[in-house]
Amino acid sequence: VAPTTPVCEVPSSAMTGTVVQMSCKETEGSPPAEYQWYKNGVALLEKTGTGSARAANITYTMNKKSGTLLFNRVTKNDTGEYFCEASNGIGLSQKCSVKRMQV
């Protein structure tokens, strides 16, 4: 079963240095969908803890299975327009509407 349009939870504003968790969920897809977050239209990298992700100064953790995007300490650089895409290899992938977070 193809995924439905996911529901995205993105705070509209956050204080610098605070923890922010964004979530993305859809319930119809079978097999369960994987989630990809985008910022300003660019796919976010999945942080593996070493190598390129650390070199790119990534301050978040993205979980493709649960759809969460967790920032340990947001900075002004994290301000932007976020959306998430759900896909499970069946049918078209589905995106939620873009939401802006101001830090």
Side-chain angles (χ1 to χ4, degrees):
V1 180
T4 55
T5 302
V7 175
C8 293
E9 299 282 334
V10 176
S12 57
S13 63
M15 295 288 290
T16 303
T18 59
V19 174
V20 171
Q21 179 167 317
M22 302 181 188
S23 65
C24 177
K25 196 76 189 152
E26 75 78 40
T27 53
E28 303 292 312
S30 180
E34 286 207 342
Y35 303 98
Q36 171 67 53
W37 279 95
Y38 293 80
K39 176 186 172 187
N40 299 331
V42 179
L44 293 175
L45 295 168
E46 192 166 19
K47 185 175 181 180
T48 52
T50 55
S52 61
R54 186 165 291 172
N57 200 16
I58 289 175
T59 57
Y60 59 81
T61 308
M62 178 171 60
N63 186 322
K64 292 194 171 194
K65 293 271 191 281
S66 68
T68 56
L69 182 63
L70 178 67
F71 294 86
N72 290 325
R73 288 194 310 276
V74 291
T75 67
K76 285 188 167 26
N77 293 339
D78 295 318
T79 294
E81 297 186 338
Y82 290 86
F83 70 89
C84 141
E85 181 178 61
S87 59
N88 66 355
I90 298 168
L92 295 170
S93 58
Q94 299 288 336
K95 300 180 178 75
C96 65
S97 56
V98 175
K99 296 187 178 173
R100 181 170 178 80
M101 178 175 73
Q102 180 73 43
V103 180

